[in-house]
Amino acid sequence: MRQRLRFYLGDELREIDAVDPTLTVLDWLRLSERRVGTKEGCAEGDCGACTVVVGRLDGDTLRYEAVNACIRFLATLDGCRLLTVEHLKGPDGALHPVQQAMVDCHGSQCGFCTPGFVMSLLALYLNEERPDGRRIDDALAGNLCRCTGYEPIVRAAQGMYDIGDRSADRFADRAAMAEKLKALRDEEILGVGAGGRRFLAPATVPQLAQLLLDNPGATIVAGATDVGLWVTKFQRVLATVIYTGRVRDLRRIEDRGDALVIGAGVTYSDAAERIAALYPDFGELIRRIGAEQVRNMGTIGGNIANGSPIGDTPPALIACGATLRLRRGAETRELPLEDFFIEYGRQDRREGEFVEAVILPKPAAGMRFRAYKIAKRFDQDISAVCGAFRLRLDGEGRVADIRIAFGGMSGTPKRAGAAEAALLGGHWTEDAVIRAMEAMAGDYTPLSDWRASAGYRSMVAANLLMKLYVETSDPAADTRLVGDRRLAHA
């Protein structure tokens, strides 16, 4: 077991022996390093004031990602490179093109949010060549500004590519840093801690399986997009944290022909393109999960294992007919994803067992898939209702296959069995859909909370079934205000 955390802060190798397992990157930067350019706003991954850029190995190449320092634990940076706003100014004092563009376009007023915007723009600048307006909006959706307004910041995002030679940027030489990070990579378990509390980070699946057997009650952390808030908002003290992010086998997507096998450690960002190629509406759903910083950290496996009734990926995965692979020690088992969720706060997962992968079947010929997220905001909001549908008609217009799943309608993500039964085998008509909408009332007993009332949720869920009918039956119907309207009639 290696008992020293190792990462690069800019170009400087840092090696730390004693680390509080839930010390955030933000607190370490501001309180220990006195790098106060990175700001604290919300402490929950919403406002983006704390945005930093993390470089990590993706195979043998270096990949830069914008992340929220306020909910990311410092020890998860093992084997990575951390860049903060202080790293952008050149040795001669010259501003980086991203910073200069913000100055030229008057992209800052009070300045509190500016370092976070700059770091989100840096990740975009390093990774993409002249993105379009929609892509810029997505990259900045996790950064809130309350005084400047977004137009000058978007102009800065467009103009930063016209300043200097991007190929000569001092962060452009990824190969040299990649070699440095490879030198840090090993197959040992990382074990650090402080005050009798521990952070354990295995490098292989067998190591992870054994650590979970040896440490009952340990908290499993993948992206910390939820667990981070346990610490920052609820002040929970976690005695033992087991981090899955170093297990490369969990970050793989395997195409086995009939399905994608998505490792539990695959982030939303890593999965989005592969899933969207099969299910375009699923890709749109992922685009609305949190913001880019959250999607770069959060994992699909974590979204499932968390068991939240308002998680966005489980309804879509259930509608697609996904299967879950669980592992305990050397033993694995598979079950339909909908059977994993038993009741609120309870899943079919034994002590020491963990989610290893989710198996997403490829769509059959003639199958149609839709996913709809209803929330108060388009970006960065939790669903009030999330509905997903898989539909296949036979040659006579009868419903040959139908799967309907909702989040936000009960204590778990759940299928609408009565509505499905009302439709299966019958003709796909408006009258049939209305009968299924009525039957759906027996499928769910939603709660009222500050996101939505029970009555609103029931009405919306039924109306989404009608929206599915309209989109799949009327080519002239225009049902989409945002996103790719062509999806409505695919």
Side-chain angles (χ1 to χ4, degrees), residues 411-470:
T412 66
K414 183 184 173 186
R415 288 178 67 177
E420 291 177 1
L423 291 167
L424 192 61
H427 283 96
W428 185 236
T429 65
E430 184 173 347
D431 286 343
V433 171
I434 290 173
R435 289 192 294 272
M437 292 167 65
E438 295 170 350
M440 192 185 291
D443 284 319
Y444 302 107
T445 53
L447 298 175
S448 293
D449 59 22
W450 65 272
R451 291 188 184 90
S453 68
Y456 174 83
R457 285 187 160 107
S458 295
M459 180 182 294
V460 165
N463 287 345
L464 290 180
L465 179 57
M466 180 58 73
K467 181 174 182 176
L468 170 72
Y469 171 75
V470 171

CSV table of all heavy atoms in Angstrom, one decimal, residues 411-470:
chain,number,residue,atom,x,y,z
A,411,GLY,N,-41.1,6.4,-4.5
A,411,GLY,CA,-39.8,6.4,-3.7
A,411,GLY,C,-38.7,5.8,-4.5
A,411,GLY,O,-37.5,5.9,-4.0
A,412,THR,N,-38.9,5.2,-5.7
A,412,THR,CA,-37.8,4.7,-6.5
A,412,THR,C,-38.1,5.0,-8.0
A,412,THR,O,-39.3,5.2,-8.3
A,412,THR,CB,-37.7,3.2,-6.3
A,412,THR,OG1,-38.9,2.5,-6.9
A,412,THR,CG2,-37.5,2.8,-4.9
A,413,PRO,N,-37.1,4.9,-8.8
A,413,PRO,CA,-37.4,4.9,-10.3
A,413,PRO,C,-38.2,3.6,-10.5
A,413,PRO,O,-37.9,2.6,-10.1
A,413,PRO,CB,-36.0,4.8,-10.9
A,413,PRO,CG,-35.1,5.2,-9.9
A,413,PRO,CD,-35.7,4.8,-8.6
A,414,LYS,N,-39.3,3.8,-11.3
A,414,LYS,CA,-40.3,2.7,-11.4
A,414,LYS,C,-41.0,2.7,-12.8
A,414,LYS,O,-41.3,3.7,-13.4
A,414,LYS,CB,-41.3,2.9,-10.3
A,414,LYS,CG,-42.3,1.8,-10.2
A,414,LYS,CD,-43.4,2.1,-9.1
A,414,LYS,CE,-44.5,1.1,-9.1
A,414,LYS,NZ,-45.6,1.5,-8.1
A,415,ARG,N,-41.3,1.4,-13.2
A,415,ARG,CA,-42.0,1.3,-14.5
A,415,ARG,C,-43.5,1.5,-14.2
A,415,ARG,O,-44.0,1.3,-13.1
A,415,ARG,CB,-41.8,-0.1,-15.1
A,415,ARG,CG,-40.5,-0.3,-15.7
A,415,ARG,CD,-40.3,-1.7,-16.2
A,415,ARG,NE,-41.1,-2.0,-17.3
A,415,ARG,CZ,-41.1,-3.2,-18.0
A,415,ARG,NH1,-40.3,-4.1,-17.6
A,415,ARG,NH2,-41.9,-3.4,-19.0
A,416,ALA,N,-44.2,1.9,-15.3
A,416,ALA,CA,-45.7,2.1,-15.2
A,416,ALA,C,-46.4,0.8,-15.8
A,416,ALA,O,-46.8,0.8,-16.9
A,416,ALA,CB,-46.1,3.3,-16.0
A,417,GLY,N,-46.5,-0.2,-14.9
A,417,GLY,CA,-47.0,-1.5,-15.4
A,417,GLY,C,-48.4,-1.5,-15.9
A,417,GLY,O,-48.7,-2.1,-16.9
A,418,ALA,N,-49.3,-0.7,-15.2
A,418,ALA,CA,-50.7,-0.7,-15.6
A,418,ALA,C,-50.8,0.0,-17.0
A,418,ALA,O,-51.6,-0.4,-17.9
A,418,ALA,CB,-51.5,0.0,-14.6
A,419,ALA,N,-50.1,1.1,-17.1
A,419,ALA,CA,-50.1,1.9,-18.4
A,419,ALA,C,-49.6,1.0,-19.5
A,419,ALA,O,-50.1,1.0,-20.7
A,419,ALA,CB,-49.4,3.2,-18.3
A,420,GLU,N,-48.5,0.3,-19.3
A,420,GLU,CA,-47.9,-0.6,-20.3
A,420,GLU,C,-48.9,-1.7,-20.7
A,420,GLU,O,-49.1,-1.9,-21.9
A,420,GLU,CB,-46.7,-1.2,-19.8
A,420,GLU,CG,-45.5,-0.3,-19.6
A,420,GLU,CD,-44.3,-1.0,-19.0
A,420,GLU,OE1,-44.3,-2.2,-18.7
A,420,GLU,OE2,-43.2,-0.3,-18.8
A,421,ALA,N,-49.6,-2.3,-19.7
A,421,ALA,CA,-50.5,-3.4,-20.0
A,421,ALA,C,-51.7,-2.8,-20.8
A,421,ALA,O,-52.3,-3.5,-21.7
A,421,ALA,CB,-51.0,-4.0,-18.7
A,422,ALA,N,-52.1,-1.6,-20.5
A,422,ALA,CA,-53.3,-1.0,-21.3
A,422,ALA,C,-52.9,-0.8,-22.7
A,422,ALA,O,-53.9,-0.8,-23.6
A,422,ALA,CB,-53.7,0.3,-20.6
A,423,LEU,N,-51.7,-0.6,-23.0
A,423,LEU,CA,-51.3,-0.4,-24.4
A,423,LEU,C,-50.8,-1.6,-25.2
A,423,LEU,O,-51.0,-1.7,-26.4
A,423,LEU,CB,-50.1,0.7,-24.4
A,423,LEU,CG,-50.4,2.1,-24.0
A,423,LEU,CD1,-49.2,2.9,-23.7
A,423,LEU,CD2,-51.3,2.8,-25.0
A,424,LEU,N,-50.2,-2.5,-24.5
A,424,LEU,CA,-49.6,-3.7,-25.2
A,424,LEU,C,-50.6,-4.5,-26.0
A,424,LEU,O,-51.6,-4.9,-25.5
A,424,LEU,CB,-48.9,-4.6,-24.2
A,424,LEU,CG,-47.9,-5.6,-24.7
A,424,LEU,CD1,-46.8,-5.0,-25.5
A,424,LEU,CD2,-47.4,-6.5,-23.6
A,425,GLY,N,-50.3,-4.7,-27.3
A,425,GLY,CA,-51.2,-5.5,-28.1
A,425,GLY,C,-52.3,-4.7,-28.8
A,425,GLY,O,-52.9,-5.2,-29.8
A,426,GLY,N,-52.5,-3.5,-28.4
A,426,GLY,CA,-53.6,-2.7,-29.0
A,426,GLY,C,-53.0,-1.8,-30.1
A,426,GLY,O,-51.8,-1.6,-30.2
A,427,HIS,N,-53.9,-1.1,-30.8
A,427,HIS,CA,-53.4,-0.2,-31.8
A,427,HIS,C,-52.9,1.1,-31.1
A,427,HIS,O,-53.5,1.5,-30.1
A,427,HIS,CB,-54.6,0.2,-32.8
A,427,HIS,CG,-54.8,-0.9,-33.8
A,427,HIS,ND1,-55.8,-1.9,-33.7
A,427,HIS,CD2,-54.2,-1.2,-35.0
A,427,HIS,CE1,-55.7,-2.7,-34.7
A,427,HIS,NE2,-54.8,-2.3,-35.5
A,428,TRP,N,-51.9,1.7,-31.7
A,428,TRP,CA,-51.4,2.9,-31.2
A,428,TRP,C,-52.2,4.1,-31.7
A,428,TRP,O,-52.0,4.8,-32.7
A,428,TRP,CB,-49.9,3.1,-31.7
A,428,TRP,CG,-49.1,4.2,-31.2
A,428,TRP,CD1,-48.4,5.1,-31.9
A,428,TRP,CD2,-48.7,4.5,-29.8
A,428,TRP,NE1,-47.7,6.0,-31.1
A,428,TRP,CE2,-47.9,5.6,-29.8
A,428,TRP,CE3,-49.1,3.9,-28.6
A,428,TRP,CZ2,-47.4,6.1,-28.6
A,428,TRP,CZ3,-48.6,4.4,-27.4
A,428,TRP,CH2,-47.8,5.5,-27.4
A,429,THR,N,-53.2,4.4,-30.9
A,429,THR,CA,-54.2,5.5,-31.2
A,429,THR,C,-54.3,6.4,-30.0
A,429,THR,O,-53.9,6.1,-28.9
A,429,THR,CB,-55.6,4.9,-31.5
A,429,THR,OG1,-56.1,4.3,-30.3
A,429,THR,CG2,-55.5,3.9,-32.6
A,430,GLU,N,-54.9,7.6,-30.3
A,430,GLU,CA,-55.1,8.6,-29.2
A,430,GLU,C,-56.0,8.0,-28.1
A,430,GLU,O,-55.8,8.2,-26.9
A,430,GLU,CB,-55.6,9.9,-29.8
A,430,GLU,CG,-55.8,11.0,-28.8
A,430,GLU,CD,-56.2,12.3,-29.4
A,430,GLU,OE1,-56.1,12.4,-30.6
A,430,GLU,OE2,-56.6,13.2,-28.6
A,431,ASP,N,-57.1,7.3,-28.5
A,431,ASP,CA,-58.0,6.8,-27.5
A,431,ASP,C,-57.3,5.8,-26.6
A,431,ASP,O,-57.5,5.8,-25.4
A,431,ASP,CB,-59.2,6.1,-28.2
A,431,ASP,CG,-60.1,7.1,-28.8
A,431,ASP,OD1,-60.1,8.3,-28.4
A,431,ASP,OD2,-61.0,6.8,-29.7
A,432,ALA,N,-56.4,5.0,-27.3
A,432,ALA,CA,-55.7,4.0,-26.5
A,432,ALA,C,-54.7,4.7,-25.5
A,432,ALA,O,-54.6,4.2,-24.3
A,432,ALA,CB,-54.9,3.0,-27.4
A,433,VAL,N,-54.1,5.7,-25.9
A,433,VAL,CA,-53.2,6.5,-25.1
A,433,VAL,C,-53.9,7.1,-23.9
A,433,VAL,O,-53.5,7.1,-22.8
A,433,VAL,CB,-52.4,7.5,-25.9
A,433,VAL,CG1,-51.6,8.4,-25.0
A,433,VAL,CG2,-51.4,6.8,-26.8
A,434,ILE,N,-55.1,7.7,-24.2
A,434,ILE,CA,-55.9,8.3,-23.1
A,434,ILE,C,-56.3,7.2,-22.1
A,434,ILE,O,-56.2,7.5,-20.9
A,434,ILE,CB,-57.2,8.9,-23.7
A,434,ILE,CG1,-56.8,10.2,-24.5
A,434,ILE,CG2,-58.1,9.3,-22.6
A,434,ILE,CD1,-57.9,10.8,-25.3
A,435,ARG,N,-56.6,6.0,-22.5
A,435,ARG,CA,-56.9,5.0,-21.5
A,435,ARG,C,-55.7,4.6,-20.7
A,435,ARG,O,-55.8,4.4,-19.5
A,435,ARG,CB,-57.5,3.7,-22.3
A,435,ARG,CG,-58.9,3.9,-22.8
A,435,ARG,CD,-59.4,2.6,-23.3
A,435,ARG,NE,-58.7,2.0,-24.4
A,435,ARG,CZ,-59.0,2.2,-25.7
A,435,ARG,NH1,-60.0,3.1,-26.0
A,435,ARG,NH2,-58.3,1.7,-26.6
A,436,ALA,N,-54.5,4.6,-21.4
A,436,ALA,CA,-53.3,4.3,-20.6
A,436,ALA,C,-53.0,5.4,-19.6
A,436,ALA,O,-52.4,5.1,-18.6
A,436,ALA,CB,-52.1,4.1,-21.6
A,437,MET,N,-53.2,6.6,-20.0
A,437,MET,CA,-53.0,7.8,-19.1
A,437,MET,C,-53.9,7.6,-17.8
A,437,MET,O,-53.4,7.9,-16.7
A,437,MET,CB,-53.4,9.1,-19.8
A,437,MET,CG,-52.4,9.5,-20.9
A,437,MET,SD,-53.0,10.8,-22.0
A,437,MET,CE,-53.0,12.2,-20.8
A,438,GLU,N,-55.1,7.1,-18.0
A,438,GLU,CA,-56.0,6.9,-16.9
A,438,GLU,C,-55.5,5.7,-16.0
A,438,GLU,O,-55.5,5.8,-14.8
A,438,GLU,CB,-57.4,6.6,-17.4
A,438,GLU,CG,-58.0,7.8,-18.1
A,438,GLU,CD,-59.3,7.5,-18.8
A,438,GLU,OE1,-59.6,6.3,-18.9
A,438,GLU,OE2,-60.1,8.4,-19.2
A,439,ALA,N,-55.0,4.7,-16.7
A,439,ALA,CA,-54.4,3.5,-16.0
A,439,ALA,C,-53.2,3.9,-15.2
A,439,ALA,O,-52.9,3.3,-14.1
A,439,ALA,CB,-54.1,2.4,-17.0
A,440,MET,N,-52.4,4.9,-15.7
A,440,MET,CA,-51.2,5.3,-15.0
A,440,MET,C,-51.5,5.8,-13.6
A,440,MET,O,-50.6,5.8,-12.8
A,440,MET,CB,-50.5,6.3,-15.8
A,440,MET,CG,-49.0,6.6,-15.4
A,440,MET,SD,-48.2,7.9,-16.3
A,440,MET,CE,-48.0,7.1,-17.9
A,441,ALA,N,-52.7,6.3,-13.4
A,441,ALA,CA,-53.0,6.8,-12.0
A,441,ALA,C,-52.8,5.7,-11.0
A,441,ALA,O,-52.6,6.0,-9.8
A,441,ALA,CB,-54.4,7.3,-12.0
A,442,GLY,N,-52.9,4.4,-11.3
A,442,GLY,CA,-52.7,3.3,-10.4
A,442,GLY,C,-51.3,2.9,-10.3
A,442,GLY,O,-51.0,2.0,-9.4
A,443,ASP,N,-50.4,3.4,-11.1
A,443,ASP,CA,-49.0,3.0,-11.1
A,443,ASP,C,-48.2,3.8,-10.0
A,443,ASP,O,-47.2,3.2,-9.5
A,443,ASP,CB,-48.4,3.2,-12.5
A,443,ASP,CG,-48.8,2.2,-13.5
A,443,ASP,OD1,-48.8,1.0,-13.1
A,443,ASP,OD2,-49.0,2.6,-14.6
A,444,TYR,N,-48.6,5.0,-9.7
A,444,TYR,CA,-47.7,5.8,-8.9
A,444,TYR,C,-48.5,6.6,-7.8
A,444,TYR,O,-49.7,6.9,-8.0
A,444,TYR,CB,-47.0,6.9,-9.8
A,444,TYR,CG,-46.1,6.3,-10.9
A,444,TYR,CD1,-46.5,6.4,-12.2
A,444,TYR,CD2,-44.9,5.7,-10.6
A,444,TYR,CE1,-45.8,5.8,-13.2
A,444,TYR,CE2,-44.1,5.1,-11.6
A,444,TYR,CZ,-44.6,5.2,-12.9
A,444,TYR,OH,-43.8,4.7,-13.9
A,445,THR,N,-47.9,6.8,-6.7
A,445,THR,CA,-48.4,7.7,-5.7
A,445,THR,C,-47.3,8.8,-5.3
A,445,THR,O,-46.6,8.6,-4.3
A,445,THR,CB,-48.8,6.9,-4.4
A,445,THR,OG1,-47.7,6.1,-4.0
A,445,THR,CG2,-50.0,6.0,-4.7
A,446,PRO,N,-47.2,9.8,-6.2
A,446,PRO,CA,-46.1,10.7,-6.0
A,446,PRO,C,-46.4,11.6,-4.7
A,446,PRO,O,-47.5,11.7,-4.2
A,446,PRO,CB,-46.2,11.6,-7.2
A,446,PRO,CG,-47.6,11.4,-7.7
A,446,PRO,CD,-48.0,10.0,-7.4
A,447,LEU,N,-45.3,12.2,-4.2
A,447,LEU,CA,-45.3,13.1,-3.1
A,447,LEU,C,-45.3,14.5,-3.5
A,447,LEU,O,-44.9,14.8,-4.7
A,447,LEU,CB,-44.1,12.8,-2.2
A,447,LEU,CG,-44.0,11.4,-1.5
A,447,LEU,CD1,-42.7,11.3,-0.8
A,447,LEU,CD2,-45.2,11.1,-0.6
A,448,SER,N,-45.7,15.4,-2.7
A,448,SER,CA,-45.6,16.8,-2.9
A,448,SER,C,-44.4,17.3,-2.1
A,448,SER,O,-44.1,16.9,-1.0
A,448,SER,CB,-46.8,17.6,-2.3
A,448,SER,OG,-48.0,17.3,-3.1
A,449,ASP,N,-43.5,18.1,-2.8
A,449,ASP,CA,-42.4,18.7,-2.2
A,449,ASP,C,-42.2,20.1,-2.8
A,449,ASP,O,-43.0,20.5,-3.6
A,449,ASP,CB,-41.1,17.9,-2.2
A,449,ASP,CG,-40.7,17.5,-3.7
A,449,ASP,OD1,-41.1,18.2,-4.6
A,449,ASP,OD2,-40.0,16.5,-3.8
A,450,TRP,N,-41.1,20.7,-2.5
A,450,TRP,CA,-40.9,22.1,-3.1
A,450,TRP,C,-40.6,22.1,-4.6
A,450,TRP,O,-40.7,23.2,-5.2
A,450,TRP,CB,-39.8,22.8,-2.3
A,450,TRP,CG,-38.4,22.2,-2.5
A,450,TRP,CD1,-37.8,21.3,-1.8
A,450,TRP,CD2,-37.4,22.6,-3.5
A,450,TRP,NE1,-36.6,21.0,-2.2
A,450,TRP,CE2,-36.3,21.8,-3.3
A,450,TRP,CE3,-37.4,23.5,-4.5
A,450,TRP,CZ2,-35.1,21.9,-4.1
A,450,TRP,CZ3,-36.3,23.6,-5.3
A,450,TRP,CH2,-35.2,22.8,-5.1
A,451,ARG,N,-40.3,21.0,-5.2
A,451,ARG,CA,-40.2,20.9,-6.6
A,451,ARG,C,-41.5,20.9,-7.4
A,451,ARG,O,-41.6,21.4,-8.4
A,451,ARG,CB,-39.3,19.8,-7.0
A,451,ARG,CG,-37.8,19.9,-6.6
A,451,ARG,CD,-36.9,18.8,-7.2
A,451,ARG,NE,-35.6,18.9,-6.7
A,451,ARG,CZ,-35.2,18.4,-5.5
A,451,ARG,NH1,-36.0,17.5,-4.9
A,451,ARG,NH2,-34.0,18.6,-5.1
A,452,ALA,N,-42.4,20.1,-6.8
A,452,ALA,CA,-43.7,20.0,-7.5
A,452,ALA,C,-44.7,19.3,-6.5
A,452,ALA,O,-44.3,18.6,-5.6
A,452,ALA,CB,-43.6,19.1,-8.7
A,453,SER,N,-46.0,19.5,-6.8
A,453,SER,CA,-47.0,18.9,-6.0
A,453,SER,C,-47.3,17.5,-6.6
A,453,SER,O,-47.0,17.2,-7.7
A,453,SER,CB,-48.3,19.7,-6.0
A,453,SER,OG,-48.9,19.7,-7.3
A,454,ALA,N,-47.9,16.6,-5.8
A,454,ALA,CA,-48.3,15.3,-6.3
A,454,ALA,C,-49.2,15.4,-7.5
A,454,ALA,O,-49.1,14.6,-8.4
A,454,ALA,CB,-48.9,14.5,-5.1
A,455,GLY,N,-50.2,16.3,-7.4
A,455,GLY,CA,-51.1,16.4,-8.5
A,455,GLY,C,-50.4,16.9,-9.8
A,455,GLY,O,-50.7,16.4,-10.9
A,456,TYR,N,-49.5,17.8,-9.7
A,456,TYR,CA,-48.7,18.3,-10.9
A,456,TYR,C,-47.9,17.1,-11.5
A,456,TYR,O,-47.9,16.9,-12.7
A,456,TYR,CB,-47.8,19.4,-10.5
A,456,TYR,CG,-46.9,19.9,-11.6
A,456,TYR,CD1,-47.3,20.8,-12.5
A,456,TYR,CD2,-45.6,19.4,-11.6
A,456,TYR,CE1,-46.5,21.2,-13.5
A,456,TYR,CE2,-44.7,19.8,-12.7
A,456,TYR,CZ,-45.2,20.7,-13.6
A,456,TYR,OH,-44.4,21.1,-14.6
A,457,ARG,N,-47.3,16.4,-10.6
A,457,ARG,CA,-46.5,15.3,-11.1
A,457,ARG,C,-47.3,14.2,-11.9
A,457,ARG,O,-46.9,13.8,-12.9
A,457,ARG,CB,-45.7,14.6,-9.9
A,457,ARG,CG,-44.5,15.4,-9.4
A,457,ARG,CD,-43.8,14.6,-8.4
A,457,ARG,NE,-42.4,15.1,-8.2
A,457,ARG,CZ,-42.0,15.7,-7.1
A,457,ARG,NH1,-42.9,16.0,-6.1
A,457,ARG,NH2,-40.8,16.2,-7.0
A,458,SER,N,-48.5,13.9,-11.3
A,458,SER,CA,-49.3,12.9,-12.0
A,458,SER,C,-49.8,13.4,-13.3
A,458,SER,O,-49.8,12.7,-14.3
A,458,SER,CB,-50.5,12.6,-11.1
A,458,SER,OG,-50.1,12.0,-9.9
A,459,MET,N,-50.2,14.7,-13.3
A,459,MET,CA,-50.7,15.3,-14.6
A,459,MET,C,-49.6,15.3,-15.6
A,459,MET,O,-49.8,15.0,-16.8
A,459,MET,CB,-51.2,16.7,-14.4
A,459,MET,CG,-51.7,17.4,-15.6
A,459,MET,SD,-52.3,19.1,-15.3
A,459,MET,CE,-53.7,18.7,-14.2
A,460,VAL,N,-48.4,15.7,-15.2
A,460,VAL,CA,-47.2,15.8,-16.2
A,460,VAL,C,-46.9,14.5,-16.7
A,460,VAL,O,-46.6,14.3,-17.9
A,460,VAL,CB,-46.0,16.5,-15.5
A,460,VAL,CG1,-44.8,16.3,-16.3
A,460,VAL,CG2,-46.3,18.0,-15.3
A,461,ALA,N,-46.8,13.5,-15.8
A,461,ALA,CA,-46.4,12.1,-16.3
A,461,ALA,C,-47.4,11.6,-17.3
A,461,ALA,O,-47.0,11.1,-18.4
A,461,ALA,CB,-46.4,11.2,-15.1
A,462,ALA,N,-48.7,11.8,-17.1
A,462,ALA,CA,-49.7,11.4,-18.1
A,462,ALA,C,-49.5,12.1,-19.4
A,462,ALA,O,-49.6,11.6,-20.5
A,462,ALA,CB,-51.1,11.5,-17.5
A,463,ASN,N,-49.3,13.4,-19.3
A,463,ASN,CA,-49.2,14.3,-20.5
A,463,ASN,C,-47.9,13.9,-21.3
A,463,ASN,O,-47.9,14.0,-22.5
A,463,ASN,CB,-49.1,15.7,-20.1
A,463,ASN,CG,-50.5,16.2,-19.7
A,463,ASN,OD1,-51.5,15.6,-19.9
A,463,ASN,ND2,-50.5,17.4,-19.1
A,464,LEU,N,-46.9,13.4,-20.6
A,464,LEU,CA,-45.7,13.0,-21.3
A,464,LEU,C,-46.0,11.8,-22.2
A,464,LEU,O,-45.4,11.6,-23.3
A,464,LEU,CB,-44.5,12.8,-20.4
A,464,LEU,CG,-43.9,14.0,-19.7
A,464,LEU,CD1,-42.8,13.6,-18.8
A,464,LEU,CD2,-43.4,15.0,-20.7
A,465,LEU,N,-46.8,10.9,-21.7
A,465,LEU,CA,-47.2,9.8,-22.5
A,465,LEU,C,-48.0,10.3,-23.8
A,465,LEU,O,-47.7,9.7,-24.9
A,465,LEU,CB,-48.1,8.8,-21.7
A,465,LEU,CG,-48.6,7.6,-22.5
A,465,LEU,CD1,-47.5,6.8,-23.0
A,465,LEU,CD2,-49.5,6.7,-21.5
A,466,MET,N,-48.8,11.3,-23.6
A,466,MET,CA,-49.5,11.8,-24.8
A,466,MET,C,-48.4,12.5,-25.7
A,466,MET,O,-48.6,12.4,-27.0
A,466,MET,CB,-50.5,12.8,-24.4
A,466,MET,CG,-51.3,13.5,-25.5
A,466,MET,SD,-52.1,12.3,-26.6
A,466,MET,CE,-53.5,11.7,-25.6
A,467,LYS,N,-47.5,13.2,-25.1
A,467,LYS,CA,-46.4,13.8,-26.0
A,467,LYS,C,-45.7,12.7,-26.8
A,467,LYS,O,-45.4,12.9,-28.0
A,467,LYS,CB,-45.4,14.5,-25.1
A,467,LYS,CG,-44.3,15.2,-25.9
A,467,LYS,CD,-43.4,16.1,-24.9
A,467,LYS,CE,-42.4,16.8,-25.7
A,467,LYS,NZ,-41.5,17.7,-24.9
A,468,LEU,N,-45.4,11.6,-26.2
A,468,LEU,CA,-44.8,10.5,-26.9
A,468,LEU,C,-45.7,10.1,-28.1
A,468,LEU,O,-45.2,9.9,-29.2
A,468,LEU,CB,-44.6,9.3,-26.0
A,468,LEU,CG,-44.2,7.9,-26.7
A,468,LEU,CD1,-42.8,8.0,-27.2
A,468,LEU,CD2,-44.4,6.8,-25.8
A,469,TYR,N,-47.0,10.0,-27.9
A,469,TYR,CA,-47.9,9.6,-29.0
A,469,TYR,C,-47.8,10.7,-30.1
A,469,TYR,O,-47.8,10.4,-31.3
A,469,TYR,CB,-49.3,9.5,-28.4
A,469,TYR,CG,-50.3,9.4,-29.6
A,469,TYR,CD1,-50.5,8.2,-30.3
A,469,TYR,CD2,-51.1,10.4,-29.9
A,469,TYR,CE1,-51.4,8.0,-31.3
A,469,TYR,CE2,-52.1,10.3,-31.0
A,469,TYR,CZ,-52.2,9.1,-31.6
A,469,TYR,OH,-53.1,9.0,-32.7
A,470,VAL,N,-47.9,12.0,-29.7
A,470,VAL,CA,-47.9,13.0,-30.7
A,470,VAL,C,-46.6,13.0,-31.5
A,470,VAL,O,-46.6,13.1,-32.8
A,470,VAL,CB,-48.1,14.4,-30.1
A,470,VAL,CG1,-47.9,15.5,-31.1
A,470,VAL,CG2,-49.5,14.5,-29.4
